[in-house]
Amino acid sequence: MDFKYTEEQQMVRETIREFALAELAPGVAERDEKEIYPTKAMKKLGELGFMGVTLPEELGGAGLDMISYCIAVEELARVDASTAIIISVTNSLAVYPIELFSNDNQKERFLRPLGEGKMLGAFALTEPEAGSDAGGMKTTAVKDGDDYILNGAKAFITSGINCDIVLVFVVTDKEKGMKGTSAIIVEKGTPGFEAGKRENKMGIRGSDTAPISFEDCRVPAANMLGAEGMGFKIAMTALNSGRIGVASQALGIAQASLDESVKYSKERVQFSRPIAKFQAIQFKIAKMATEIEAARMLLYSAAARKDRHENYIKEAAMAKLFCSEVAVRSALEAVQIHGGYGYIKEYPVERFMRDSKITTIYEGTNEIMNIVIADQVIGR
């Protein structure tokens, strides 16, 4: 594939790179250490249009293509993986499914404010006893007049504390299995909806992750996304898109690991010469650079298929699988190249190593990605 960035894509990279260096880089270590949410940066990213990157302009978004979206998430992750995943979740797991399945009323109430950066969205599928097994959900929604009454709990919700709305997946008919699940939009402040204590995570510590719960939470039936029973289809549609976002985040972490490794290897002197002169270091950097370029092309292939409205399930799973593994390997090598200093918080590669691991877990573990890919290649 002969790939060349368009002028618009180049402009997106330059814009978001400048933003990340100016707005995110100065306080990234402190936000990581103290678990500080990037409130000011999120507001500015909303104003720049990056809360609805691919959403059409008439709906409040930026109207860009998926490769531009990948570039934006990657450039954010090169500096701050926490901010990158917040952008990824609200774009892929909130904006995208609401764009596809909402009615006109929901578009005005929820989609436009999301795209304009006036609302932050979250996605609630995982439960304490239902992770990879999404069919094991126990959170219920029972119809009562013009409302649904929700009861249950969700776990590991990105932006669970800071979100304005959350797309919640519920069981509306347990007799129908997967076809008995539905998706409903719950607004922050709804009685019976509560966010729990923020999780104390190993990485992406600037992004809040929290459990949320519902106790006799009454939600208008008008907030149901799509029809009853469409929940599993909506969830899988969102997750396929989300895997492109996570792959982009992973790619950004990998690129940052390479950047810091090249920089350090030229500065660090041992045996009277920079360690970049040693073949052992050169081979590590060469392998990192090669894997990152391969990961980028795999990611862009998935993004381009999505833009063309082609089936991209396999490609998205491959991109998420490979980019996340490259991120972990690159971060580990960066720490190794830095030696003892790589284990010290003064150097960012320590954070890259912690941030990289989650990319192999969320949006479907890499074990699940292998199953998805096999299903697409072999057929069920």
Side-chain angles (χ1 to χ4, degrees):
M1 181 176 70
D2 182 16
F3 179 81
K4 184 178 181 180
Y5 294 112
T6 65
E7 289 185 11
E8 185 175 62
Q9 290 163 353
Q10 288 280 27
M11 183 182 70
V12 169
R13 187 178 294 281
E14 291 168 9
T15 299
I16 205 72
R17 181 65 173 163
E18 289 174 7
F19 174 89
L21 291 173
E23 302 290 338
L24 296 176
V28 64
E30 183 182 13
R31 290 194 302 275
D32 171 71
E33 182 73 22
K34 298 180 181 179
E35 298 182 296
I36 300 171
Y37 185 82
T39 304
K40 287 176 63 178
M42 291 306 301
K43 184 176 184 296
K44 291 181 179 180
L45 282 166
E47 292 169 353
L48 288 170
F50 288 101
M51 301 293 272
V53 180
T54 63
L55 188 66
E57 291 182 33
E58 61 268 24
L59 292 174
L64 300 175
D65 63 1
M66 277 300 294
I67 290 177
S68 295
Y69 169 60
C70 293
I71 290 169
V73 176
E74 177 193 346
E75 288 298 335
L76 290 171
R78 282 178 73 180
V79 175
D80 184 359
S82 295
T83 300
I85 198 57
I86 299 169
I87 290 294
S88 176
V89 166
T90 199
N91 272 277
S92 292
L93 302 186
V95 168
Y96 183 56
I98 294 175
E99 177 189 3
L100 288 187
F101 297 99
S102 62
N103 55 42
D104 290 342
N105 177 267
Q106 292 167 340
K107 281 181 170 60
E108 285 302 314
R109 291 173 59 209
F110 304 121
L111 188 59
R112 185 175 297 279
L114 283 170
E116 292 174 347
K118 297 174 182 177
M119 277 187 177
L120 180 68
F123 179 90
L125 177 65
T126 301
E127 296 186 359
E129 296 181 9
S132 296
D133 178 19
M137 284 192 307
K138 295 180 180 178
T139 299
T140 59
V142 178
K143 190 75 180 293
D144 182 35
D146 292 332
D147 299 323
Y148 282 92
I149 299 176
L150 275 61
N151 282 283
K154 298 291 183 177
F156 305 127
I157 308 305
T158 300
S159 300
I161 294 171
N162 284 283
C163 68
D164 298 292
I165 63 168
V166 56
L167 182 57
V168 184
F169 293 87
V170 294
V171 177
T172 45
D173 189 341
K174 63 180 179 181
E175 301 299 323
K176 293 183 179 179
M178 293 291 192
K179 293 183 179 179
T181 63
S182 303
I184 192 164
I185 300 167
V186 183
E187 299 170 73
K188 188 175 185 178
T190 303
F193 168 35
E194 184 176 350
K197 182 180 178 182
R198 179 177 182 146
E199 301 288 3
N200 186 7
K201 305 189 299 290
M202 175 172 72
I204 56 166
R205 290 168 57 82
S207 163
D208 66 290
T209 303
I212 61 175
S213 61
F214 306 92
E215 184 175 355
D216 294 331
C217 179
R218 186 174 290 272
V219 180
N223 286 20
M224 178 70 71
L225 189 63
E228 267 197 24
M230 289 181 64
F232 189 72
K233 177 182 179 180
I234 293 171
M236 293 305 105
T237 299
L239 288 171
N240 287 328
S241 177
R243 285 162 190 160
I244 293 177
V246 168
S248 302
Q249 180 202 25
L251 181 63
I253 296 170
Q255 184 65 58
S257 299
L258 175 61
D259 295 343
E260 289 297 323
S261 295
V262 170
K263 177 185 174 184
Y264 182 81
S265 69
K266 291 179 177 179
E267 295 172 349
R268 175 65 167 166
V269 175
Q270 290 287 275
F271 304 101
S272 303
R273 54 179 173 162
I275 63 172
K277 297 289 185 180
F278 294 104
Q279 193 176 68
I281 301 300
Q282 292 172 354
F283 280 12
K284 288 180 184 294
I285 289 174
K287 185 176 181 181
M288 289 165 67
T290 302
E291 288 194 333
I292 289 167
E293 282 305 308
R296 185 172 284 115
M297 290 299 101
L298 189 57
L299 171 62
Y300 288 175
S301 174
R305 288 183 71 89
K306 184 174 184 294
D307 272 336
R308 294 194 300 266
H309 305 290
E310 298 173 0
N311 186 321
Y312 65 96
I313 295 173
K314 178 186 71 177
E315 288 76 13
M318 286 178 167
K320 193 271 185 187
L321 172 70
F322 189 64
C323 288
S324 63
E325 291 181 347
V326 168
V328 172
R329 286 196 294 268
S330 297
L332 286 170
E333 288 287 42
V335 170
Q336 192 70 21
I337 289 169
H338 280 69
Y341 291 111
Y343 210 68
I344 304 298
K345 285 184 178 290
E346 182 181 347
Y347 289 80
V349 293
E350 176 270 343
R351 172 166 47 85
F352 300 159
M353 186 173 72
R354 288 186 289 104
D355 285 346
S356 68
K357 182 56 191 169
I358 190 59
T359 66
T360 70
I361 298 172
Y362 54 23
E363 238 79 351
T365 65
N366 281 8
E367 289 75 16
I368 293 294
M369 292 305 96
N370 278 309
I371 293 172
V372 171
I373 294 164
D375 282 347
Q376 293 292 311
V377 173
I378 300 169
R380 286 177 179 249

